[in-house]
Amino acid sequence: MTRLFNGALAMAGLVLIVGLDTLRSPPNPYQAPPMLALGSGLSTSGGFCGALPD
Amino acid sequence: MTSRAFTDPGARLSAARTGLIAGALVIIAIVALLVGSRFALMLLIGLGFGVVLEGLRFGFAGPWRAMILRREPAGILAQLLSIAVVACVAFPLLAAHPGELTGAQAPIGFAMIGGAFVFGAAMQVVLGCGSGTLVNAGSGNPVGLLALPFFALGSFAGAYHLIWWTNLGSMPILTLRGTPGLAITLVGLALVAGLLLWIGKPGSRRISRRYVFAALALAGLAVANLVVAGQPWGVVYGLGLWAAKGVAAMGADLSGSAFYAATGSVERLNASVLTDYTSLTNFGMIAGAFGVAAWRSGGMSQPLPSYPARAWIATIIAGVLLGYSSRLAFGCNVGAFFSGIATGSLHGWVWFAAAFAGAFLGIRIRAVSGLEARK
């Protein structure tokens, strides 16, 4: 077995995560924020490992 | 012509490279159309992280090991250079755009310090930190690939218990801000660099051109991460979110956790994973590393190393600990050390000291774990 098998497994894992999640929580492009947070006038709302839950 | 493309190794490699670029562009376009341009940009930034880390063979765990075992400081010096460059841009941006942009700011506490120590040890066992585990998995490294799902499960469990651990005792969030804060940060980085140079072995103190380029490229991508997402580069939150989504999809009730019962957590659990910034950069890092490894001639055809059973057990345990401890520590080498220091959080400095101390223990554990590849 070579690294190609493992690399392909990792990529398949990504496809699985995104695929299953998309079935459960489909994205809505009409709710998309502006391209850049900088200058958007909106507060940040993403999850971050350094932040306590809000 | 068709038969030549199948028989000529050069033509096959060229076709594979064209496919890699075309595949990346198509996926980014799909994300832009179906999710939004900001999220497509974040995926692109993540790809950049993966390409830089794997392509320039730059990381965090390896240079720490090189410093501890061989007194070779060049890799850590490059890390400090990258952090300093990000700080020079991030401090003024954060001061001028409060609200729109936030730093990686977290409280210092007992659990945070203990978590950082354990993370520093575990990352030396598998020779993969937060970013390193993703990059290793993408490039086909079996240790990274096995550690990754356990890293995600550990991150989920750590987040589940985070509030209990934090309640053991922590200080208020202490942050360096503005020009004075930037000056203190740069002086601090210079002092650490000076100490490393002093301890470092003569002849190994010069940062190679490859490392300088990697440090500057990483800094550029980290600033782009901040500007696009409004928050710094992180890794661990996304991994925990994947596991939490999986557990919730199987019917588990997460409302018993103060972390997952919080409004923001519930919203993110119900939203698409393609709208989570750290997930997108994590996806990009794995895919970028895969792309670089596949791009290299013979990069993916290397045979896998052989390890004894105890090495795989050590990898699983270290994977869980990496995830769990990094949540208690409010980040890994990326979210706490790199982004924390670069955006003025004092917890980043404490994380660095505790994790570096843990790395000494981790190197000893690795030596007996069987993870040194058999010759």
Short mmCIF file of all heavy atoms in Angstrom, two decimals, chain B residues 7 48 52 68 70 86 89 97 148 155 194 220 229 244 271 297 327 332 349 353 364 367:
data_model
loop_
_atom_site.label_atom_id
_atom_site.label_comp_id
_atom_site.label_asym_id
_atom_site.label_seq_id
_atom_site.Cartn_x
_atom_site.Cartn_y
_atom_site.Cartn_z
N THR B 7 0.86 5.98 -21.51
CA THR B 7 2.10 5.23 -21.32
C THR B 7 3.25 6.11 -20.86
O THR B 7 4.13 5.64 -20.14
CB THR B 7 2.51 4.54 -22.64
OG1 THR B 7 2.55 5.53 -23.67
CG2 THR B 7 1.53 3.44 -23.00
N GLY B 48 -4.44 27.34 0.46
CA GLY B 48 -3.13 28.00 0.53
C GLY B 48 -2.34 27.53 1.74
O GLY B 48 -1.14 27.23 1.63
N VAL B 52 1.24 25.64 1.36
CA VAL B 52 2.45 26.19 1.97
C VAL B 52 3.05 25.21 2.98
O VAL B 52 4.26 24.93 2.96
CB VAL B 52 2.15 27.55 2.66
CG1 VAL B 52 3.32 28.00 3.53
CG2 VAL B 52 1.83 28.60 1.62
N ILE B 68 14.66 21.03 20.76
CA ILE B 68 14.84 20.31 22.03
C ILE B 68 15.93 19.24 21.90
O ILE B 68 16.79 19.10 22.77
CB ILE B 68 13.50 19.68 22.48
CG1 ILE B 68 12.51 20.79 22.88
CG2 ILE B 68 13.71 18.71 23.64
CD1 ILE B 68 11.08 20.33 23.08
N ARG B 70 18.20 18.74 19.19
CA ARG B 70 19.46 19.06 18.49
C ARG B 70 19.87 20.53 18.62
O ARG B 70 20.83 20.95 18.00
CB ARG B 70 19.32 18.69 17.00
CG ARG B 70 18.99 17.22 16.76
CD ARG B 70 19.05 16.86 15.28
NE ARG B 70 18.05 17.59 14.50
CZ ARG B 70 16.77 17.21 14.36
NH1 ARG B 70 16.36 16.11 14.95
NH2 ARG B 70 15.93 17.91 13.64
N VAL B 86 2.32 38.88 11.16
CA VAL B 86 0.86 38.95 11.32
C VAL B 86 0.50 40.01 12.35
O VAL B 86 -0.42 40.80 12.14
CB VAL B 86 0.29 37.57 11.75
CG1 VAL B 86 -1.22 37.68 12.00
CG2 VAL B 86 0.55 36.53 10.68
N VAL B 89 0.28 43.62 11.21
CA VAL B 89 -0.92 43.97 10.44
C VAL B 89 -2.18 43.85 11.31
O VAL B 89 -3.07 44.69 11.24
CB VAL B 89 -1.05 43.04 9.20
CG1 VAL B 89 -2.25 43.45 8.35
CG2 VAL B 89 0.23 43.08 8.36
N HIS B 97 -11.01 48.35 13.61
CA HIS B 97 -12.27 47.70 13.23
C HIS B 97 -12.80 46.79 14.35
O HIS B 97 -13.02 45.60 14.11
CB HIS B 97 -12.09 46.90 11.94
CG HIS B 97 -11.68 47.74 10.78
ND1 HIS B 97 -12.59 48.36 9.94
CD2 HIS B 97 -10.45 48.09 10.32
CE1 HIS B 97 -11.93 49.04 9.01
NE2 HIS B 97 -10.64 48.90 9.22
N LEU B 148 -6.44 11.84 13.12
CA LEU B 148 -7.41 12.90 12.82
C LEU B 148 -8.83 12.64 13.36
O LEU B 148 -9.39 13.52 14.04
CB LEU B 148 -7.43 13.17 11.31
CG LEU B 148 -8.35 14.28 10.84
CD1 LEU B 148 -8.05 15.59 11.55
CD2 LEU B 148 -8.22 14.47 9.32
N SER B 155 -11.81 16.75 20.51
CA SER B 155 -12.18 18.16 20.48
C SER B 155 -13.64 18.34 20.87
O SER B 155 -14.01 19.26 21.61
CB SER B 155 -11.92 18.72 19.08
OG SER B 155 -12.35 20.05 19.00
N GLY B 194 15.95 35.74 20.70
CA GLY B 194 17.31 35.91 21.22
C GLY B 194 17.73 34.75 22.11
O GLY B 194 18.85 34.24 22.01
N GLY B 220 0.82 35.99 5.33
CA GLY B 220 -0.11 36.58 4.36
C GLY B 220 -1.47 35.88 4.40
O GLY B 220 -2.53 36.53 4.40
N ALA B 229 -12.74 36.43 7.22
CA ALA B 229 -13.65 35.81 8.19
C ALA B 229 -13.99 36.73 9.36
O ALA B 229 -15.00 36.54 10.02
CB ALA B 229 -13.04 34.52 8.73
N ALA B 244 -19.40 16.82 16.64
CA ALA B 244 -20.67 17.18 17.28
C ALA B 244 -21.83 17.01 16.30
O ALA B 244 -22.91 16.52 16.68
CB ALA B 244 -20.60 18.62 17.78
N ALA B 271 -26.33 24.87 11.15
CA ALA B 271 -25.94 25.50 9.88
C ALA B 271 -25.06 24.55 9.08
O ALA B 271 -24.51 23.58 9.61
CB ALA B 271 -25.18 26.79 10.17
N SER B 297 6.43 14.50 -8.18
CA SER B 297 6.71 13.26 -8.89
C SER B 297 7.03 12.16 -7.87
O SER B 297 7.99 12.28 -7.11
CB SER B 297 7.88 13.48 -9.84
OG SER B 297 8.18 12.28 -10.49
N ARG B 327 -9.05 22.03 23.42
CA ARG B 327 -10.25 22.79 23.76
C ARG B 327 -10.09 23.45 25.13
O ARG B 327 -10.46 24.60 25.33
CB ARG B 327 -11.49 21.90 23.75
CG ARG B 327 -12.00 21.51 22.37
CD ARG B 327 -12.04 22.64 21.36
NE ARG B 327 -12.46 23.93 21.85
CZ ARG B 327 -13.54 24.58 21.48
NH1 ARG B 327 -14.35 24.05 20.61
NH2 ARG B 327 -13.82 25.78 21.94
N CYS B 332 -5.00 25.36 19.72
CA CYS B 332 -3.80 24.54 19.51
C CYS B 332 -2.64 25.45 19.15
O CYS B 332 -2.66 26.64 19.46
CB CYS B 332 -4.08 23.51 18.41
SG CYS B 332 -4.48 24.26 16.82
N TRP B 349 0.89 33.43 24.94
CA TRP B 349 2.24 33.34 25.52
C TRP B 349 2.32 32.22 26.56
O TRP B 349 3.28 31.46 26.61
CB TRP B 349 2.63 34.67 26.15
CG TRP B 349 2.90 35.74 25.15
CD1 TRP B 349 2.05 36.75 24.76
CD2 TRP B 349 4.09 35.92 24.38
NE1 TRP B 349 2.64 37.53 23.80
CE2 TRP B 349 3.90 37.05 23.55
CE3 TRP B 349 5.30 35.23 24.30
CZ2 TRP B 349 4.87 37.51 22.67
CZ3 TRP B 349 6.28 35.69 23.42
CH2 TRP B 349 6.06 36.81 22.62
N ALA B 353 4.58 28.61 26.53
CA ALA B 353 5.46 28.12 27.60
C ALA B 353 5.03 26.74 28.08
O ALA B 353 5.86 25.82 28.23
CB ALA B 353 5.46 29.12 28.76
N ARG B 364 9.92 12.07 24.92
CA ARG B 364 10.28 10.84 25.65
C ARG B 364 9.25 9.73 25.39
O ARG B 364 9.60 8.57 25.21
CB ARG B 364 10.35 11.12 27.16
CG ARG B 364 11.60 11.89 27.54
CD ARG B 364 11.60 12.22 29.02
NE ARG B 364 12.92 12.73 29.41
CZ ARG B 364 13.63 12.25 30.40
NH1 ARG B 364 13.18 11.25 31.12
NH2 ARG B 364 14.81 12.77 30.70
N ALA B 367 9.61 8.19 21.96
CA ALA B 367 10.76 7.29 21.83
C ALA B 367 10.41 5.86 22.22
O ALA B 367 11.00 4.91 21.70
CB ALA B 367 11.91 7.81 22.68
#
